[in-house]
């Protein structure tokens, strides 16, 4: 297989440095040539990476290979700044590519970009020699990851220069060391400090106090034994290039990556680099990958249950409509319906967490949502909690589903209430902020730029760090058994992420908690916002409806409901049957109700073919699954009519009437 070589020089387009959604692009500090070797079997994925990096300000020289021989040719014919590699390919893998890189004796930053890699595989790859890994659907931190690896490469070269310079004059050494940010010291074979270089980041203050002291005089025994073992390994067996360790400095845990190289037969040069930020990002990424995996499982479970719950709640409702108030079976059916509704509520929360719910976004300001909810929130949290709102005078606008943002505020308020059993203060704040490059480098999956911050703070019991690390996981709760489902905050997490926002928690035990939600600010005109309330209306009709649904139990229920409201219903078990009915029947069909996902022919494909035959026919999609042709990333295409499963008979009748009247 040959090398697919492309030189990309696409720079910033004419959108004033903004991406397709109008948000600022992350830019490198200097526009320069970046030589990228892509090990990837998908040209489409490589093109996405090319576009992302070119928009970040790089002029790219970018080659694609997908087999060992092609990789070897590319490495021996050209120098590369970074290697981006898919984890698993038909003829190659990331681990094999890392092994080949080591075989050739090349030290090139190696970043894995995958669509399927799990946490265990990622950790294995990092241990094997990869410097970082990202998901293909989350490239926002790619340029930052590359810059970090390039900086580490420059530091590594500086280390080599430092080792060579040790043979030079003291003045040259001092000038070189003082220009470096890494910790540099010399120890003898017994672990005694012989020299501590005066670098910019000198953790030993005053450093002179350690000269002549041993590691066991400075550190606890376990830590000192580890360090001394590294010293003796370097003297007996050769250099150690990657040694990770942590130190408690000024009350904080600071992580270092060290290299230990022999200087003489009985002394070593130890260079330590502060990697605390990288370790923090790696931990955030592992947590993000974990949440993504749980979300995929949760979304699948919710999807499978939706058709069953549609039938359970629907048939319960229809049965109750036929039973007299004094019927002895009525209470049993009511309990079945309540259980179905509770289960439907759980599936909605799981869909929210897994970011597979259906959103209907509008442009609005957060002040309007908070103001509309204020009275209801006071009743919700109780009289012993003081509610205070702090709203920006000129609120920025966001584009999100206002009903879902209401859910975020209410869930956070309930969580705060439960953390203040003896009363306290609940503060809700909304204000405009700008997230800087520095902030976004410390938090993955966040772009710099303008945001509207929604903060919910309480004076309650607070949380320790272990609880904070798991607070958004579904079914995790710190409350007593039976006091909560553990889905409230996971629902908040899913809604915020699906709205392209970010959420952070800040808490100390005994000192309260603050949740900060960041939603991207938009420049579009705001739409009027009012909380929706259900009103009784005439839901009956006489129109003809073609019902295409492959699940028998849902199709029979929907037919029974629609006929109960007076409609004439024609059933079709799949798209082919629906198409045949439309071709043969001469009478008008006013509405097509179709499931989105069906075997052989999907709902959108059926619609495209039927509209040619009956252009006047209206369409209503229904589904318990959101990844489809009519819903992108959980957002309905403008002008598309949709009802989410599970639905009640009244909800279906109301939606049908709404579509037919539109």
């Amino acid at each position: 297989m040959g090398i697919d070589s492309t030189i990309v020089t696409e720079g910033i387009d004419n959108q004033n440095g903004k991406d397709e959604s109008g948000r600022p692009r992350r830019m490198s500090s200097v526009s320069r040539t970046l030589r990228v070797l892509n090990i990837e079997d998908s040209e489409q994925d490589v093109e996405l990476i090319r576009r992302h990096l070119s928009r970040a300000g790089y002029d790219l020289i970018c080659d694609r290979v997908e087999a060992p021989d092609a990789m070897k040719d590319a490495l021996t014919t050209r120098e590369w700044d970074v290697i981006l590699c898919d984890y698993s390919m038909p003829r190659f893998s990331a681990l094999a590519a890392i092994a080949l890189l080591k075989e050739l004796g090349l030290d090139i930053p190696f970043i894995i970009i995958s669509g399927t890699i799990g946490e265990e595989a990622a950790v294995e790859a990092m241990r094997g020699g990869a410097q970082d890994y990202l998901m293909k659907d989350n490239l926002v931190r790619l340029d930052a990851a590359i810059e970090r690896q390039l900086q580490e490469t420059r530091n590594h070269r500086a280390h080599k220069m430092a080792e060579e310079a040790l043979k030079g004059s003291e003045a040259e050494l001092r000038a070189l060391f003082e220009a470096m940010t890494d910790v540099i010291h010399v120890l003898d074979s017994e672990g005694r400090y012989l020299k501590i270089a005066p670098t910019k980041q000198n953790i030993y203050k005053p450093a002179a106090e350690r000269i002549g002291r041993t590691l066991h005089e400075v550190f606890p025994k376990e830590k000192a034994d580890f360090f001394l073992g590294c010293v003796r390994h370097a003297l007996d067996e050769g250099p150690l290039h990657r040694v990770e360790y942590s130190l408690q400095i000024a009350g904080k845990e600071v992580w270092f990556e060290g290299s230990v190289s022999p200087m003489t037969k009985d002394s070593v040069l130890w260079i330590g680099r502060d990697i605390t930020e990288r370790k923090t990002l790696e931990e955030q990424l592992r947590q993000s990958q974990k949440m993504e995996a749980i979300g995929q499982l949760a979304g699948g479970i919710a999807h499978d249950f939706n058709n069953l719950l549609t039938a359970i709640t629907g048939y319960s409702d229809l049965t109750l409509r036929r039973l007299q108030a004094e019927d002895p079976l009525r209470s049993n059916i009511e309990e079945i319906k309540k259980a179905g509704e509770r289960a439907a509520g759980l599936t909605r929360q799981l869909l929210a967490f897994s970011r597979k719910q259906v959103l209907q976004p509008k442009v609005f300001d957060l002040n309007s949502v908070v103001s509309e909810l204020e009275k209801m929130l006071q009743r919700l949290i109780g009289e012993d909690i003081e509610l205070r709102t702090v709203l920006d005078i000129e609120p920025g606008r966001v584009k999100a589903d206002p009903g879902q943002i209401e859910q975020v505020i209410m869930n956070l308020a309930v969580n705060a209430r439960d953390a203040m059993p003896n009363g306290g203060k609940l503060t809700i704040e909304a204000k405009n902020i700008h997230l800087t490059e520095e902030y976004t480098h410390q938090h993955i999956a966040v772009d710099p730029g303008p945001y509207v911050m929604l903060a919910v703070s309480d004076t309650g019991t607070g949380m320790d760090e272990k609880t904070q690390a798991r607070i958004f996981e579904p079914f995790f709760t710190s409350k007593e058994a039976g006091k909560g489902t553990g889905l409230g905050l996971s629902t908040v997490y899913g809604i915020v992420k699906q709205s392209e926002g970010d959420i952070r928690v800040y808490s100390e035990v005994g000192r309260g908690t603050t949740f900060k939600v960041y939603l991207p600010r938009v420049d579009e005109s705001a739409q009027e916002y009012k909380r929706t309330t259900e009103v009784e209306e005439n839901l009956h009709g006489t129109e003809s409806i073609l019902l295409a649904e492959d699940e028998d139990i849902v199709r029979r229920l929907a037919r029974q409901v629609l006929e109960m409201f007076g409609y004439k219903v024609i059933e079709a078990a799949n798209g082919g049957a629906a198409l045949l009915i439309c071709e043969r029947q001469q009478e008008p069909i006013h509405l097509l109700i179709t499931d989105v996902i069906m075997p052989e022919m999907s709902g959108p494909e059926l619609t495209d073919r039927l509209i040619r035959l009956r252009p006047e026919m209206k369409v209503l999609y229904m589904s318990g699954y959101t990844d489809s042709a009519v819903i992108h990333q959980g957002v309905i295409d403008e002008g598309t009519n949709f009802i989410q499963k599970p639905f009640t008979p009244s909800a279906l009748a109301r939606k049908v009437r709404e579509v037919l009247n539109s």
Side-chain angles (χ1 to χ4, degrees):
M1 187 72 182
I3 300 174
D4 175 19
S5 180
T6 307
I7 298 178
V8 181
T9 57
E10 178 186 0
I12 296 300
D13 59 19
N14 61 358
Q15 299 180 36
N16 298 318
K18 296 183 178 180
D19 62 16
E20 291 84 348
S21 64
R23 299 174 64 190
R25 293 194 178 93
R26 186 194 301 271
M27 295 291 296
S28 60
S29 57
V30 180
S31 179
R32 65 178 187 278
T33 300
L34 181 69
R35 296 164 297 186
V36 180
L37 178 61
N38 265 293
I39 305 174
E40 170 64 71
D41 60 323
S42 169
E43 173 60 31
Q44 182 179 5
D45 289 344
V46 172
E47 182 61 27
L48 289 174
I49 293 171
R50 289 171 180 160
R51 289 181 178 275
H52 178 85
L53 291 177
S54 62
R55 287 169 180 157
Y58 294 108
D59 289 333
L60 295 181
I61 297 175
C62 185
D63 285 0
R64 180 178 73 90
V65 299
E66 55 180 304
D69 291 344
M71 176 182 171
K72 194 170 184 178
D73 289 344
L75 291 172
T76 55
T77 56
R78 178 179 284 168
E79 291 186 359
W80 302 100
D81 296 313
V82 64
I83 296 175
L84 306 180
C85 183
D86 195 359
Y87 183 74
S88 179
M89 294 163 283
R91 292 184 292 166
F92 213 11
S93 71
L95 295 178
I98 293 171
L100 179 57
L101 198 63
K102 290 181 178 178
E103 179 186 322
L104 296 174
L106 297 175
D107 186 14
I108 304 172
F110 193 98
I111 299 175
I112 295 174
I113 303 182
S114 175
T116 58
I117 188 169
E119 183 178 350
E120 292 184 4
V123 171
E124 181 185 3
M126 295 284 281
R127 288 174 176 167
Q131 279 77 41
D132 208 340
Y133 70 93
L134 302 87
M135 299 300 291
K136 288 181 179 179
D137 61 357
N138 184 19
L139 294 178
V140 295
R141 54 183 292 269
L142 175 58
D143 44 312
I146 289 175
E147 285 295 333
R148 185 167 57 252
Q149 296 309 320
L150 294 180
Q151 181 61 48
E152 292 192 6
T153 299
R154 289 191 287 268
N155 281 342
H156 183 64
R157 290 170 182 167
H159 295 165
K160 290 184 177 179
M161 290 174 60
E163 292 171 9
E164 292 296 323
L166 282 171
K167 301 175 182 178
S169 68
E170 183 70 21
E172 291 173 340
L173 271 176
R174 180 171 293 276
L176 178 61
F177 287 163
E178 289 181 349
M180 297 181 66
T181 59
D182 294 343
V183 176
I184 305 172
H185 41 255
V186 180
L187 301 99
D188 66 14
S189 59
E190 299 303 316
R192 181 175 287 102
Y193 286 97
L194 302 179
K195 183 174 180 60
I196 298 176
T199 60
K200 286 184 178 180
Q201 183 174 314
N202 199 331
I203 62 173
Y204 310 128
K205 296 180 180 180
E209 293 181 1
R210 294 204 174 191
I211 301 299
R213 301 177 69 189
T214 66
L215 291 166
H216 282 88
E217 292 175 310
V218 175
F219 298 105
K221 184 179 185 306
E222 184 177 351
K223 185 80 71 176
D225 287 344
F226 170 73
F227 289 153
L228 186 57
C230 294
V231 170
R232 290 178 174 168
H233 182 283
L235 289 172
D236 296 340
E237 302 182 33
L240 288 170
H241 295 297
R242 292 184 68 178
V243 180
E244 284 194 5
Y245 56 95
S246 64
L247 297 174
Q248 289 292 324
I249 300 174
K252 295 183 179 180
E253 185 178 40
V254 180
W255 279 90
F256 290 89
E257 181 179 270
S259 63
V260 192
S261 305
M263 288 183 58
T264 66
K265 65 178 182 179
D266 57 2
S267 66
V268 299
L269 176 71
W270 190 304
I271 302 176
R273 180 187 316 144
D274 186 343
I275 59 168
T276 306
E277 180 182 345
R278 190 183 84 190
K279 293 289 288 187
T280 301
L281 289 173
E282 286 175 356
E283 182 57 36
Q284 288 182 22
L285 186 57
R286 276 193 291 271
Q287 184 68 8
S288 176
Q289 296 285 346
K290 178 181 178 181
M291 297 286 275
E292 189 71 28
I294 297 173
Q296 296 242 349
L297 175 63
I301 292 172
H303 169 233
D304 291 342
F305 271 96
N306 271 336
N307 282 332
L308 296 174
L309 291 172
T310 300
I312 291 170
T313 57
Y315 279 116
S316 298
D317 190 290
L318 292 180
T319 303
L320 287 171
R321 290 170 184 262
R322 289 171 169 80
L323 292 178
Q324 299 296 321
E326 64 277 6
D327 195 301
L329 291 177
R330 188 174 184 87
S331 61
N332 291 348
I333 303 300
E334 286 174 343
E335 290 302 318
I336 292 173
K337 183 183 178 184
K338 287 178 185 177
E341 288 172 345
R342 286 184 62 192
L346 291 175
T347 62
R348 280 195 297 273
Q349 289 178 301
L350 289 173
L351 284 172
F353 169 73
S354 59
R355 289 172 258 175
K356 293 184 181 296
Q357 64 183 338
V358 180
L359 301 182
Q360 294 181 294
K362 296 180 179 179
V363 177
F364 61 95
D365 67 78
L366 280 178
N367 284 10
S368 60
V369 175
V370 175
S371 298
E372 287 279 330
L373 284 177
E374 195 166 352
K375 288 183 180 179
M376 188 182 72
L377 285 174
Q378 188 62 72
R379 293 194 298 269
L380 185 68
I381 62 178
E383 295 180 355
D384 58 343
I385 295 176
E386 178 187 343
L387 176 61
R388 181 170 172 258
T389 58
V390 182
L391 306 179
D392 207 316
I393 297 175
E394 297 182 0
R397 294 177 292 278
V398 300
K399 188 171 186 178
D401 188 321
Q404 296 297 323
I405 300 304
E406 282 185 0
Q407 189 69 41
V408 166
I409 296 171
M410 288 191 291
N411 282 10
L412 292 177
V414 168
N415 193 72
R417 178 200 65 190
D418 294 344
M420 298 184 287
N422 299 317
K425 293 182 180 180
L426 172 63
T427 303
I428 301 177
E429 181 182 6
K431 72 174 184 177
N432 301 327
I433 66 165
H434 188 95
L435 294 184
T436 63
E437 288 273 0
E438 181 181 359
Y439 177 91
T440 57
H441 283 162
Q442 296 171 356
H443 300 87
I444 63 173
V446 187
D447 283 334
Y451 286 78
V452 180
M453 181 191 74
L454 170 70
V456 179
S457 305
D458 65 64
T459 57
T461 54
M463 296 176 280
D464 58 26
E465 290 186 3
K466 289 184 178 179
T467 302
Q468 291 178 56
R470 299 187 60 194
I471 197 68
F472 296 118
E473 293 179 14
F475 305 114
F476 173 80
T477 178
S478 57
K479 300 173 185 175
E480 302 173 20
K483 292 286 186 177
T485 63
L487 284 172
L489 290 177
S490 62
T491 300
V492 169
Y493 176 89
I495 292 171
V496 171
K497 290 295 184 181
Q498 194 173 359
S499 302
E500 299 185 6
D502 191 46
I503 182 168
R504 299 287 158 186
V505 58
Y506 306 88
S507 185
E508 291 184 39
V509 175
R511 302 190 66 179
T513 300
T514 295
F515 287 92
K516 291 185 177 181
V517 174
Y518 301 101
L519 297 172
R521 202 157 76 229
V522 299
D523 294 329
E524 301 172 41
S525 299
Q527 298 168 259
E528 184 180 1
Y529 170 73
K530 285 288 182 183
R531 296 197 70 227
T532 56
T533 55
E534 290 189 2
V535 295
E536 290 297 323
E537 55 186 313
N538 182 11
L539 303 180
H540 288 73
T542 58
E543 292 92 339
S544 294
I545 297 175
L546 174 58
L547 176 63
E549 165 63 67
D550 60 304
E551 285 284 347
D552 293 344
I553 193 169
V554 176
R555 190 177 65 253
R556 289 195 297 267
L557 169 68
R559 175 170 188 162
Q560 191 172 340
V561 169
L562 293 170
E563 288 180 340
M564 181 178 71
F565 282 93
Y567 297 102
K568 178 184 177 183
V569 181
I570 309 157
E571 285 187 60
N574 51 57
L579 186 61
L580 192 61
I581 289 170
C582 276
E583 288 174 344
R584 292 180 175 177
Q585 182 166 313
Q586 300 302 315
E587 292 80 7
I589 297 176
H590 302 92
L591 175 66
L592 166 67
I593 302 179
T594 176
D595 194 11
V596 173
I597 305 297
M598 293 188 293
E600 299 180 9
M601 186 185 303
S602 71
E605 290 172 331
L606 172 63
T607 299
D608 287 343
R609 298 181 68 172
L610 290 186
I611 289 300
R612 298 172 195 166
L613 297 173
R614 298 173 180 265
E616 75 288 346
M617 184 175 63
K618 296 179 179 180
V619 180
L620 171 61
Y621 292 104
M622 58 180 176
S623 181
Y625 189 63
T626 63
D627 291 346
S628 67
V630 297
I631 307 167
H632 306 280
Q633 301 299 321
V635 177
I636 303 175
D637 285 350
E638 188 174 354
T640 300
N641 300 308
F642 182 87
I643 185 168
Q644 175 79 51
K645 298 176 184 176
F647 48 74
T648 64
S650 296
L652 176 61
R654 185 176 292 106
K655 191 66 181 180
V656 166
R657 196 64 261 160
E658 175 189 317
V659 174
L660 288 170
N661 290 344
S662 63

